């Protein structure tokens, strides 16, 4: 089913990522998926201003990264792009139909159930942390994250991956959990912490991480 193209797909990523090369920007999901399936790709770097211009909005209606262009196909949304890559190439979704459906379910669970409370906390940190009530709001937001992590941790148990072998569901979930970097919340769940570390040890993850870090490092050297 692998469909490696002579013409490489092109993705977009931040010219200068606000996470300073920590691999938290969502192009990391696409980079990692492409690395897992062995599909080379090109990257077009965009500034915050360029993302909001009409040329980029033609690719991404919300003026964000990442986007994905492959021939006459243009996609946005990291989850949809990961899913597309996983469908086009072997390696990220099981061939058994039911196992495949479950792996896809984990992608949705990562994006629709686990990511929202994590992003709510992030957004509050960036936009509300100077407010007088932020100190009281933070435990509420973190409590909502723990509700999801309690359940996820229970379900993962002692398994290496969420449902059998590593899949696009794990890839998506791991990068959602990585957004907790710097909060110490993930450290409360030893199996989830080990799950993320296990994924980070994958050669494809390391290549994707190194590629996005190289962008940040070269932007820092240039300025
Ligand atoms: N749901 C989208 C979120 C995309 C998103 O939030 N991208 C961020 C980078 S990780 C971005 O472009 N931020 C700049 C902005 O929104 O202006 C996805 O998963 O692709």
């Amino acid at each position: 089913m692998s469909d490696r193209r002579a013409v490489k797909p092109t993705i977009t990523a931040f010219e200068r990522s606000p996470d300073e090369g920590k691999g938290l920007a969502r192009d990391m999901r696409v980079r990692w998926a492409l690395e897992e399936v062995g599909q080379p790709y090109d990257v077009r770097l965009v500034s915050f201003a360029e993302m909001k211009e009409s040329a980029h909005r033609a690719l991404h209606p919300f003026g964000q990264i990442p986007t994905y262009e492959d021939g006459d196909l243009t996609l946005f949304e990291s989850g949809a792009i990961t899913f597309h890559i996983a469908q086009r190439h072997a390696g990220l979704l099981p061939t058994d139909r039911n196992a495949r459906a479950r792996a896809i379910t984990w992608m949705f669970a990562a994006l629709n159930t686990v990511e929202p409370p994590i992003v709510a906390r992030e957004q509050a940190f960036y936009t509300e942390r100077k407010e007088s009530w932020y100190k009281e709001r933070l435990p509420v937001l973190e409590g909502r994250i723990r509700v999801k992590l309690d359940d996820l941790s229970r379900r993962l148990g002692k398994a290496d991956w969420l449902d059998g072998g590593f899949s696009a569901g794990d890839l998506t979930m791991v990068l959602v959990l990585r957004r907790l970097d710097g909060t110490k919340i993930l450290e409360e769940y030893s199996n989830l912490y080990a799950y993320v570390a296990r994924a980070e040890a994958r050669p494809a993850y390391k290549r994707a991480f190194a590629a996005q870090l190289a962008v940040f490092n070269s932007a820092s050297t240039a300025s």
Side-chain angles (χ1 to χ4, degrees):
M1 209 221 322
S2 203
D3 182 18
R4 199 148 303 135
R5 301 293 169 105
V7 179
K8 292 186 265 182
T10 300
I11 69 167
T12 51
F14 282 133
E15 181 180 79
R16 183 184 286 263
S17 181
D19 77 353
E20 307 190 327
K22 292 192 182 72
L24 302 178
R26 290 171 176 87
D27 58 292
M28 181 64 194
R29 299 173 184 177
V30 181
R31 290 175 183 274
W32 187 11
L34 289 165
E35 291 288 354
E36 285 286 347
V37 302
Q39 172 63 58
Y41 59 98
D42 288 323
V43 183
R44 191 170 60 251
L45 301 176
V46 288
S47 65
F48 271 83
E50 282 163 346
M51 280 192 298
K52 307 303 173 197
E53 285 168 10
S54 56
H56 186 75
R57 282 189 190 275
L59 308 176
H60 196 308
F62 305 108
Q64 296 182 309
I65 60 100
T67 59
Y68 173 97
E69 293 156 80
D70 188 9
D72 56 6
L73 175 68
T74 300
L75 296 173
F76 59 97
E77 283 296 331
S78 59
I81 299 169
T82 303
F83 182 47
H84 172 76
I85 295 165
Q87 277 191 304
R88 282 267 166 110
H89 302 271
L92 280 173
L93 286 173
T95 46
D96 173 81
R97 286 174 61 184
N98 287 352
R100 194 178 180 90
R102 290 195 302 272
I104 295 164
T105 300
W106 279 115
M107 292 185 71
F108 278 85
L111 300 174
N112 280 358
T113 300
V114 181
E115 187 170 45
I118 293 176
V119 169
R121 184 200 174 280
E122 257 171 43
Q123 282 171 343
F125 175 78
Y126 287 121
T127 60
E128 297 165 8
R129 70 179 184 278
K130 296 208 172 102
E131 304 293 342
S132 56
W133 36 261
Y134 177 71
K135 260 197 201 149
E136 283 143 61
R137 180 153 160 76
L138 187 61
V140 175
L141 294 171
E142 294 192 338
R144 289 180 189 151
I145 296 171
R146 287 190 180 93
V147 167
K148 300 302 174 201
L149 297 195
D150 287 348
D151 291 340
L152 184 66
S153 170
R154 200 172 306 116
R155 172 54 83 99
L156 180 67
K158 294 190 171 132
D160 280 354
W161 308 115
L162 288 167
D163 192 303
F166 177 82
S167 78
D170 295 297
L171 182 152
T172 312
M173 188 66 82
V174 163
L175 290 181
V176 164
L177 294 176
R178 280 213 61 228
R179 299 191 77 81
L180 290 165
D181 266 22
T183 68
K184 305 257 186 265
I185 296 175
L186 197 63
E187 284 86 332
E188 295 167 23
Y189 300 86
S190 59
N191 66 338
L192 294 181
Y193 191 76
Y195 169 64
V196 171
R198 191 174 301 121
E200 288 172 340
R202 292 177 72 83
Y205 176 94
K206 288 185 184 170
R207 288 194 296 274
F209 187 89
Q212 62 78 39
L213 181 60
V215 172
F216 180 76
N217 287 341
S218 73
S220 308
T221 318
S223 58

